[in-house]
Amino acid sequence: MLEKEQLDRLNALAKKKRELKINKDELEELTTLRQEYLTNFRNSFKKQIEQTKVIDPEGNDVTPEKIKEIQKRK
């Protein structure tokens, strides 16, 4: 997970880029921070989906089989 300082830096660099005032080193740093942020986001979202159980209005478990298989393996 990104530390608060890293997230603040990512936001500052993104703002600076929108203002067209970013140099090559800052652009590389922005790209690296974005990749790290996206990786963390995807991993977190994947874990959340894998722990989801879907129940229809009648109370039946309608969780997709693919997710059920993943849950069984864990």
Side-chain angles (χ1 to χ4, degrees), residues 15-27:
K15 181 180 179 184
K16 192 172 182 180
K17 183 179 179 192
R18 284 191 300 272
E19 296 168 353
L20 303 173
K21 299 177 182 176
I22 196 167
N23 64 40
K24 183 180 176 185
D25 292 336
E26 290 172 328
L27 183 58

Side-chain angles (χ1 to χ4, degrees), residues 2 26 62 66:
L2 284 178
E26 290 172 328
V62 292
K66 185 175 181 178

Side-chain angles (χ1 to χ4, degrees), residues 53-64:
K53 185 173 187 177
V54 183
I55 306 294
D56 70 7
E58 289 85 37
N60 300 315
D61 183 0
V62 292
T63 305

Side-chain angles (χ1 to χ4, degrees):
M1 184 169 201
L2 284 178
E3 299 293 326
K4 180 172 176 12
E5 295 83 22
Q6 291 174 307
L7 191 54
D8 290 344
R9 179 68 175 154
L10 173 62
N11 290 329
L13 288 170
K15 181 180 179 184
K16 192 172 182 180
K17 183 179 179 192
R18 284 191 300 272
E19 296 168 353
L20 303 173
K21 299 177 182 176
I22 196 167
N23 64 40
K24 183 180 176 185
D25 292 336
E26 290 172 328
L27 183 58
E28 289 175 10
E29 182 183 4
L30 176 62
T31 303
T32 301
L33 288 170
R34 269 195 187 140
Q35 284 301 102
E36 187 177 345
Y37 175 81
L38 288 173
T39 298
N40 289 334
F41 176 84
R42 288 179 182 125
N43 289 337
S44 175
F45 191 72
K46 181 180 175 183
K47 287 178 186 176
Q48 183 177 356
I49 292 296
E50 289 173 351
Q51 295 174 2
T52 299
K53 185 173 187 177
V54 183
I55 306 294
D56 70 7
E58 289 85 37
N60 300 315
D61 183 0
V62 292
T63 305
E65 288 301 317
K66 185 175 181 178
I67 293 178
K68 285 181 182 180
E69 290 173 15
I70 291 170
Q71 290 170 345
K72 285 179 186 176
R73 282 187 264 148
K74 294 187 179 214

